[in-house]
């Protein structure tokens, strides 16, 4: 049964976890932090497709940094609801980031493998700096010890959908965040 309190996708049941209002409050907080840290600078925001596009859209507007540039990169490490363990680059970076301040925008940091691989790849192109902003961070899932510079929410190691995050390509357009229901 599909009720307002839960959504069912591919036979899996998800229950409400974070409302759009709670998300907006934390995204604005992170946006202000970034605006303060990058005052007088013109960073490049690097949005990690596909999941971060909703967060990136709200975050970059909330910073109010008018000189900022936005570009996109795509990695994949997930199939279904668990990590495949390997991290592959699918769409590369076309902009020149040499000497630039880069802010990666990611939807979620789970094991940290994608984040570490991405930072390693980007540093080869000699940017002035690389920082990492994430909507969600699962500290208990870390396999790398990586801690993002900007975090909207720290969450337990549970599978999340909505606000850009998907289940095999579905649910990205749900405005609130839902968590998988455990029996
Ligand atoms: P990591 O490399 O840190 O293990 O995983 C990063 C990627 O895994 C994220 O960009 C995201 O695509 C996917 N991922 C990790 N946890 C979740 C989750 O709870 N829900 C969804 N939809 N994707 C997740």
């Amino acid at each position: 049964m599909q009720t307002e309190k839960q959504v069912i996708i591919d036979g899996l049941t998800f229950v409400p976890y974070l409302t759009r209002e709670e998300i907006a409050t934390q995204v604005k907080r992170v946006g202000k932090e970034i605006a303060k840290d990058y005052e007088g600078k013109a960073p490049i925001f690097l949005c990690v497709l596909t999941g971060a596009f909703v967060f990136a859209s709200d975050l970059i507007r909330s910073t109010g940094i008018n000189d900022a540039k936005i570009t996109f990169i795509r990695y994949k490490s997930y199939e279904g609801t668990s990590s495949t363990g390997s991290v592959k680059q699918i769409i590369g970076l076309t902009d020149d980031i040499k000497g630039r301040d880069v802010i990666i925008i990611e939807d979620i940091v789970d094991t940290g493998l994608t984040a570490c691989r991405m930072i390693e790849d980007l540093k080869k192109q000699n940017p002035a700096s690389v920082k990492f902003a994430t909507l969600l961070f699962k500290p208990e899932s870390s396999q790398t010890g990586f801690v993002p510079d900007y975090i909207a929410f720290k969450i337990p190691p549970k599978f999340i959908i909505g606000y850009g995050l998907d289940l095999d390509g579905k649910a990205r357009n749900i405005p609130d965040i839902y968590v998988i229901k455990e029996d």
Side-chain angles (χ1 to χ4, degrees), residues 48 51 75 77-78 80 83 87 106-115 136 138 155 158-162 165-167:
V48 185
Y75 279 74
S77 70
Y78 255 59
S83 179
V87 181
E106 178 61 293
D107 54 356
I108 189 160
V109 174
D110 186 20
T111 62
L113 291 167
T114 308
L136 303 164
K138 298 180 184 171
I155 61 165
K158 294 184 178 167
F159 189 77
I160 297 291
I161 57 161
L165 289 109
D166 73 316
L167 173 62

Side-chain angles (χ1 to χ4, degrees), residues 95-110:
D95 291 69
D96 185 7
I97 60 164
K98 193 175 172 198
R100 301 291 305 264
D101 294 302
V102 173
I103 305 171
I104 300 167
I105 306 179
E106 178 61 293
D107 54 356
I108 189 160
V109 174
D110 186 20

Side-chain angles (χ1 to χ4, degrees), residues 21-39:
E21 291 81 13
E22 288 168 326
I23 298 166
T25 301
Q26 294 311 314
V27 172
K28 279 186 193 139
R29 172 185 58 77
V30 173
K32 276 190 190 155
E33 272 179 51
I34 293 175
K36 192 164 157 265
D37 293 350
Y38 288 82
E39 207 179 333

